[in-house]
Amino acid sequence: IFNKKAMDTKKLIRIKLSGHFIEEKPFDPPFQFNFDFDLFIKNDERGIQLRTWIDEIDKLAKDDNIDGLIIDMGFVRAGMAKRIEIRDALKRFKNSDKEIIVYANKYISNLDYFLIAMADKIFINVMSEIHLAGLKLQIPFIRGLLDTLYIVPEVFRVNSDGKSYKTAADPLINHKMSSEMRENYGDLLSDRYDLFIEGISLRFEGNIEKTEEIIDEGPYLSDSDVISIGLADSIMYPDQFDEYINSLNDEKVKITKWKDIDRSDFYVHEWAPPEKNKIA
């Protein structure tokens, strides 16, 4: 009963959307660096467990006492599949007749904009950019290095007439992309791009053609271009945005920080009942 909001009062949750989203339970790394997709990324923070984060957003979406989210946009480390789940959770929140307000103190990348394109209002800092420029795949080939070291790789794979679509080992045995590998990765990138376009189009009421035109003209390196093209609503310094938020924080608006919400058991540690057999 103490969490009930007063009559005619809006309750907003302020959250920072950034960090490394993971599936497993978080742990403290023994070293300050990890060897993920990018070498030597400083990793001195615990990961954010994706499932529990989504459960929290869904819980807020169903809470009649919550009217909206204020998102401080940071840098999210997550693959496309995880980003789709994050985006879908925020869509469910908004579709529950709730408001989403976003502020970006720095630039917003391709895939980070994908997460928040459905927001009701997006504010950016002065001189910020939105690096909306489409997608790419980059694949390093090391066969030339192996030749220099007199190392001959041996790979056994299914093939027909010397051609194979089992291309995982191609960077080891070829000097450049084969036609089969180009077809494989071309289809993969095309599929990801369709998902990407669909996500960004939420900013433009689902208009795919307009979204593709905007992406083709990107990236947008000046705040004025960002506003004129419709990717953000207004330009504010951080203190101006805080003043804007504080102007909402009167007797009819209550803002609660995400970190101040009580979570007695935030992380999920077991994924299946212990009495059942599990396949790792």
Side-chain angles (χ1 to χ4, degrees):
I1 189 171
F2 296 106
N3 291 326
K4 293 289 184 181
K5 66 178 182 180
M7 293 291 291
D8 299 325
T9 298
K10 292 180 67 175
K11 186 175 181 180
L12 306 176
I13 305 297
R14 187 164 186 175
I15 174 177
K16 184 171 179 62
L17 183 53
S18 66
H20 186 197
F21 282 82
I22 60 175
E23 297 286 356
E24 69 279 9
K25 67 179 181 181
F27 70 98
D28 294 317
F31 303 103
Q32 292 296 312
F33 298 92
N34 66 22
F35 295 89
D36 202 346
F37 295 105
D38 297 315
L39 292 179
F40 304 111
I41 294 178
K42 193 173 188 301
N43 186 27
D44 55 1
E45 62 179 352
R46 289 167 65 85
I48 303 168
Q49 198 171 38
L50 177 65
R51 177 49 47 197
T52 51
W53 188 91
I54 291 174
D55 288 344
E56 288 281 327
I57 297 296
D58 285 340
K59 187 184 300 182
L60 295 176
K62 297 175 183 177
D63 191 340
D64 293 334
N65 294 311
I66 305 300
D67 297 289
L69 281 178
I70 301 170
I71 297 177
D72 293 299
M73 194 68 216
F75 175 66
V76 173
R77 292 174 54 204
M80 193 64 175
K82 292 178 183 176
R83 288 177 182 273
I84 291 174
E85 290 208 52
I86 295 170
R87 186 277 312 267
D88 288 349
L90 293 176
K91 280 177 61 179
R92 288 192 297 272
F93 181 89
K94 181 179 177 180
N95 292 339
S96 300
D97 197 25
K98 301 180 189 293
E99 184 180 19
I100 297 179
I101 301 172
V102 175
Y103 180 71
N105 187 26
K106 300 180 181 178
Y107 82 104
I108 306 179
S109 69
N110 254 331
L111 294 179
D112 284 345
Y113 195 87
F114 173 84
L115 298 176
I116 49 90
M118 85 297 291
D120 297 278
K121 297 178 181 177
I122 299 177
F123 301 97
I124 61 171
N125 194 1
V126 177
M127 299 301 291
S128 292
E129 65 182 73
I130 294 182
H131 205 273
L132 205 60
L135 303 179
K136 69 177 180 180
L137 281 175
Q138 186 171 352
I139 305 169
F141 285 79
I142 63 171
R143 178 59 192 271
L145 172 64
L146 297 180
D147 291 344
T148 302
L149 300 174
Y150 299 101
I151 297 175
V152 180
E154 293 187 12
V155 176
F156 300 88
R157 58 180 181 171
V158 176
N159 69 83
S160 176
D161 297 328
K163 296 184 177 181
S164 177
Y165 284 90
K166 300 294 185 180
T167 58
D170 274 28
L172 294 173
I173 61 177
N174 294 335
H175 293 88
K176 62 181 181 179
M177 189 177 292
S178 65
S179 59
E180 296 81 23
M181 188 178 193
R182 185 176 298 277
E183 182 179 346
N184 276 349
Y185 281 81
D187 289 343
L188 174 63
L189 186 58
S190 178
D191 187 51
R192 285 191 174 186
Y193 187 69
D194 289 341
L195 293 171
F196 176 71
I197 290 291
E198 182 270 332
I200 303 299
S201 71
L202 295 177
R203 178 66 181 176
F204 306 102
E205 300 180 346
N207 190 325
I208 299 296
E209 183 177 349
K210 180 178 180 180
T211 302
E212 289 182 325
E213 290 177 358
I214 289 174
I215 291 175
D216 288 344
E217 294 295 326
Y220 299 93
L221 305 181
S222 71
D223 46 35
S224 59
D225 289 340
V226 169
I227 299 301
S228 63
I229 208 68
L231 292 171
D233 296 285
S234 185
I235 302 169
M236 293 184 181
Y237 284 107
D239 59 328
Q240 291 175 318
F241 181 73
D242 288 338
E243 289 176 3
Y244 166 75
I245 294 301
N246 290 333
S247 69
L248 301 176
N249 196 7
D250 54 25
E251 67 278 1
K252 292 188 177 182
V253 177
K254 180 181 179 182
I255 300 174
T256 303
K257 293 184 178 180
W258 172 268
K259 66 179 181 179
D260 293 335
I261 299 176
D262 179 33
R263 299 176 179 85
S264 57
D265 187 13
F266 183 66
Y267 294 110
V268 176
H269 300 294
E270 300 296 338
W271 296 101
E275 66 275 8
K276 292 185 178 181
N277 292 329
K278 297 185 284 293
I279 300 176

